[in-house]
Amino acid sequence: MKKIIFGLAIFIASLFFADQAFAYTVQKGDTMSEIARMHGMTLNELAVMNPQVENLDLIVVGEKINTEVTNDHGPTLFEGMNVEKIEEVVVAPKETVKTEQVVTEVKSVSSSYSFSTEELDLLARIVRAEAQAEPFEGKVAVAAVVLNRLESPKFPDTIRGVIYQRGQFQPVRNGAINKPADEESKRAVQAALTEMRYIAKEALFFYNPTIATSRWLDSRTTAVKIGRHVFKY
């Protein structure tokens, strides 16, 4: 069973090394929702940027809340982000086991699998082009579809290969892919490199059924609907 395990620890570390000017100090009466509103972001975005806050309803006066991940004095938004591709080999005990018994030994073989700054920028650009008017969760889901395709034998095994595969993404055909990504699309890519990726489950396709001219996706199984997009297996 192959799966990509994303560098959540690296992502978290990048938040804590951000310039202190981007950290908000919790005041009496503050809530995470109010802090998000003050900084022009959604609660989900703020939660992704602050994984150290385990309970969004319980924050402490004096606690530091990260409100921006860019840093003018250090790495850019996507620099230093890596993932690992993990191949797990599950080995059951030699003796006969009952169906309810849990596998007792797991061996893993891992190899480095890195995304370059250029690849992540390209992913953010396709997110902007495909989901600019969608909610933050919908942007994350679009990025997740590209990442899901990397694991599928039916698609190329690079971000560039997936995005530029012939006939797959309209923004490639109409040139919208060449426009710069906005900050929310970049944050959505970061979120898709954490466990939030699974917001789209294992979807490999998405479309807007209201405006789609091709209806072949109608017959495929729906994974989830977010905003105007329907995500399909």
Side-chain angles (χ1 to χ4, degrees), residues 1-99:
M1 176 177 62
K2 292 184 179 180
K3 55 184 177 181
I4 296 176
I5 307 299
F6 292 94
L8 180 57
I10 296 171
F11 170 66
I12 294 172
S14 70
L15 299 181
F16 288 109
F17 284 106
D19 194 304
Q20 288 298 311
F22 300 133
Y24 174 81
T25 302
V26 175
Q27 308 294 318
K28 185 176 180 180
D30 280 343
T31 65
M32 287 291 279
S33 295
E34 179 64 18
I35 294 170
R37 187 193 64 77
M38 285 191 297
H39 291 87
M41 61 183 69
T42 67
L43 180 58
N44 280 336
E45 287 180 88
L46 190 63
V48 167
M49 294 165 60
N50 290 274
Q52 79 280 8
V53 180
E54 297 181 358
N55 185 344
L56 297 181
D57 296 320
L58 181 62
I59 52 177
V60 180
V61 172
E63 185 175 1
K64 298 292 185 182
I65 302 297
N66 295 297
T67 57
E68 180 57 72
V69 296
T70 55
N71 186 344
D72 293 335
H73 309 292
T76 61
L77 194 61
F78 291 138
E79 285 179 357
M81 297 181 67
N82 296 298
V83 299
E84 284 189 343
K85 181 180 286 185
I86 306 295
E87 183 170 331
E88 294 181 346
V89 181
V90 181
V91 182
K94 291 182 179 179
E95 64 271 19
T96 302
V97 297
K98 296 180 180 179
T99 55

Side-chain angles (χ1 to χ4, degrees), residues 4 6 141-153 155 162 197-198 200-205:
I4 296 176
F6 292 94
V142 168
V145 165
V146 175
L147 297 175
N148 288 345
R149 288 189 178 192
L150 293 181
E151 297 183 49
S152 171
F155 296 94
V162 167
R197 172 196 174 185
Y198 298 104
K201 302 181 181 179
E202 297 179 358
L204 295 173
F205 309 94

